Amino acid sequence: MIGMISVNYKNSPVEIREQIYIALDEIIVFHEYIKKTILLNGLFIISTCNRTEIYFDYNQNGLSQNRIFHKIISCLIKFKKVSEGISPYIEKKIDKKLFTHIFSLASGLESMIVGEYQIVEQIKSSYKICAKNNMLSSVLDRMIQKSLNASKLIRTKTNIGKGAVSVSYAAVEKINSIYKNKSTSIISVGAGNTGQLALESLIKKKYEDIQVLNRTITKSKKIAEKFSLICQPIERIYDLMKKCDIIIFSTSSSKKLITEKNVKEAIASRKKPLLIIDLSVPTNVPKNVGSINNVTLINIDGLKDEVNKNYIKRKNEIEKANTLIIKLVDEFIIWVNNKKIRSTINQFKINFDHLISKVKNNENQNILKKYKRNIINNIKNIELNHDHDTITIINNILLKK
């Protein structure tokens, strides 16, 4: 059984997603943790600002699907030390629906900003860790490789990625709809890919007064030099907050970078409004900051207007991509079922040969051998016809203990 649990932007707000975010350096730790409860054939994890998804390969061994999912979810809840109240936000998928999902995900169809390419790099980063640490089963490994192949094909055969935007771009579009004055004072906190994409978009929009902050001053200087901007140490954030118009947060910090109390103190003397955009998951800014007078807080979920515009632009390309994905998924399922049936045949041979060895009469042995060959040939014919339902029944009958 190949299964997946997902908490994503479609079924949960950022306040829920940030609770179960699994950083890259937590993937191996979680794998070791889950092995203490359930022995999996393979595990793959991807966690981004928009989703945390756990893919697993498991031989049911008498356990129901519901029981298997319960064990995986229970491990996640305990590992992240969150309430079981998170369960209603968890989406479950198996087999064909799961394969369709991962192929669509890699192709940018499941992203908040349809067609964005960042998800491919995120899948590759997670894959690298899982593969290096022998976490993947052969099916999960091939599934990820084929999903990346699907991504390449769809970006070649459709215009899904043509002029694709990012969450950073959407944030800058939001800023531009509110602040037309190009001398607007902007602070960008974070030196990662999201922060740099935001800076590129701000510069393209001709904003002139931009300062860069980061916990590592060397990174701030490097980015400031790259974009010809001013850099400041992160400790100056509250001083700068007294005068700036906009602050954009996009760091990988697991802790809040500002407090409600300090924000209130910083803006006590100012009369103009302050816009804070938090693109981070986990979020960098406490939710209560948004209730402070004269402060507007927008998190990643608050960019839905720009997201909807992007979706409408790409609607026709989405339909083309989905048609391609259906074919690719069907081809992958054939490979999965063929792999299953080969495994079944091999195990059947071992079991049947053991039975034959216990029969002393040569004539009876020959009858059983002929019977074995007929069964195997019939199974292979079913395999050639790709009769998946019958293959599943055969697997259940021949390998049932």
Side-chain angles (χ1 to χ4, degrees):
M1 169 187 165
I2 310 297
M4 177 202 77
I5 62 171
S6 172
V7 175
N8 57 71
Y9 75 95
K10 292 181 180 179
N11 61 31
S12 61
V14 67
E15 292 82 8
I16 296 295
R17 300 199 303 275
E18 68 180 350
Q19 292 182 49
I20 60 165
Y21 175 79
I22 299 175
L24 289 175
D25 58 6
E26 288 184 297
I27 289 176
I28 302 168
V29 183
F30 180 67
H31 182 231
E32 292 301 317
Y33 180 85
I34 205 169
K35 281 197 301 187
K36 295 174 184 176
T37 300
I38 183 169
L39 188 60
L40 300 171
N41 296 328
L43 187 73
F44 175 67
I45 297 168
I46 180 165
S47 198
T48 71
C49 59
N50 285 328
R51 70 189 64 253
T52 291
E53 295 183 345
I54 299 172
Y55 298 78
F56 57 91
D57 184 348
Y58 181 69
N59 294 333
Q60 288 185 240
N61 295 330
L63 286 180
S64 68
Q65 286 181 13
N66 286 341
R67 184 63 181 155
I68 297 166
F69 275 114
H70 176 76
K71 281 180 173 287
I72 301 289
I73 293 168
S74 183
C75 284
L76 177 63
I77 286 171
K78 289 175 183 175
F79 180 76
K80 296 305 295 185
K81 297 177 182 176
V82 297
S83 163
E84 289 191 4
I86 204 167
S87 295
Y89 296 99
I90 296 176
E91 182 180 354
K92 306 169 191 173
K93 285 186 181 356
I94 64 166
D95 300 333
K96 185 173 184 177
K97 287 184 178 179
L98 179 156
F99 302 143
T100 302
H101 174 81
I102 185 76
F103 281 38
S104 299
L105 178 66
S107 302
L109 300 181
E110 292 292 328
S111 298
M112 179 181 281
I113 305 291
V114 175
E116 62 89 16
Y117 193 71
Q118 194 173 357
I119 188 63
V120 172
E121 297 308 314
Q122 291 164 332
I123 290 173
K124 286 180 178 178
S125 296
S126 292
Y127 172 76
K128 186 176 180 181
I129 291 171
C130 294
K132 184 178 179 182
N133 291 277
N134 300 315
M135 291 171 56
L136 302 171
S137 66
S138 59
V139 175
L140 289 181
D141 193 306
R142 190 175 179 92
M143 177 190 79
I144 297 159
Q145 293 295 340
K146 287 297 181 181
S147 73
L148 294 172
N149 290 345
S151 175
K152 289 179 184 177
L153 178 69
I154 284 164
R155 291 176 195 281
T156 302
K157 297 288 186 180
T158 75
N159 290 321
I160 196 73
K162 188 176 180 180
V165 298
S166 63
V167 169
S168 304
Y169 176 87
V172 173
E173 286 295 297
K174 187 75 173 179
I175 289 170
N176 195 52
S177 69
I178 301 170
Y179 292 87
K180 303 297 183 184
N181 187 344
K182 300 307 176 182
S183 61
T184 296
S185 174
I186 303 172
I187 307 296
S188 178
V189 184
N193 187 50
T194 301
Q196 292 190 53
L197 287 173
L199 289 172
E200 288 176 2
S201 295
L202 287 167
I203 291 166
K204 284 179 181 177
K205 293 290 184 184
K206 308 296 184 184
Y207 285 99
E208 302 162 355
D209 186 359
I210 307 170
Q211 298 186 63
V212 180
L213 277 68
N214 193 59
R215 286 170 295 178
T216 308
I217 193 66
T218 52
K219 287 185 179 179
S220 295
K221 287 180 179 178
K222 189 176 179 180
I223 290 172
E225 288 173 5
K226 178 181 177 181
F227 294 103
S228 301
L229 303 172
I230 297 169
C231 71
Q232 300 279 6
I234 192 73
E235 292 76 18
R236 288 214 58 212
I237 189 165
Y238 290 114
D239 288 335
L240 295 168
M241 195 181 292
K242 293 175 182 177
K243 297 180 181 179
C244 73
D245 297 297
I246 303 162
I247 306 179
I248 304 171
F249 287 88
S250 57
T251 83
S252 58
S253 174
S254 59
K255 298 179 180 178
K256 306 301 182 193
L257 297 185
I258 59 177
T259 68
E260 181 184 5
K261 179 183 177 183
N262 291 138
V263 174
K264 283 180 177 177
E265 291 172 355
I267 68 165
S269 59
R270 48 182 290 159
K271 294 181 180 179
K272 62 180 181 177
L274 173 65
L275 172 62
I276 300 177
I277 296 182
D278 188 357
L279 301 179
S280 307
V281 176
T283 52
N284 292 165
V285 182
K287 188 177 181 180
N288 291 343
V289 166
S291 63
I292 298 172
N293 189 37
N294 234 18
V295 175
T296 299
L297 173 62
I298 298 174
N299 61 31
I300 201 166
D301 288 350
L303 301 172
K304 287 192 167 69
D305 290 346
E306 296 303 323
V307 170
N308 289 336
K309 289 178 189 174
N310 177 67
Y311 181 85
I312 292 166
K313 283 181 184 177
R314 288 169 171 72
K315 192 172 181 181
N316 289 336
E317 300 307 313
I318 291 169
E319 290 174 2
K320 292 178 190 174
N322 282 331
T323 300
L324 289 170
I325 285 172
I326 289 169
K327 182 182 177 184
L328 294 170
V329 168
D330 285 343
E331 289 172 357
F332 181 68
I333 288 173
I334 289 171
W335 178 86
V336 170
N337 283 324
N338 288 349
K339 187 178 188 306
K340 282 181 184 178
I341 206 69
R342 286 192 296 272
S343 175
T344 297
I345 289 172
N346 290 336
Q347 189 60 50
F348 173 71
K349 283 180 179 178
I350 292 169
N351 293 346
F352 215 87
D353 286 342
H354 179 67
L355 175 65
I356 292 171
S357 69
K358 290 184 177 183
V359 176
K360 304 301 181 184
N361 184 291
N362 287 337
E363 185 178 351
N364 288 340
Q365 277 191 346
N366 289 332
I367 292 170
L368 287 173
K369 286 177 181 177
K370 183 179 179 181
Y371 182 60
K372 181 185 79 170
R373 285 194 298 273
N374 287 339
I375 290 175
I376 290 171
N377 287 334
N378 286 331
I379 292 172
K380 286 180 177 177
N381 287 333
I382 291 169
E383 177 189 3
L384 289 172
N385 292 326
H386 308 305
D387 187 345
H388 310 316
D389 291 337
T390 305
I391 287 171
T392 301
I393 292 168
I394 290 170
N395 276 322
N396 291 336
I397 292 172
L398 296 185
L399 299 184
K400 191 171 183 179
K401 295 180 180 179

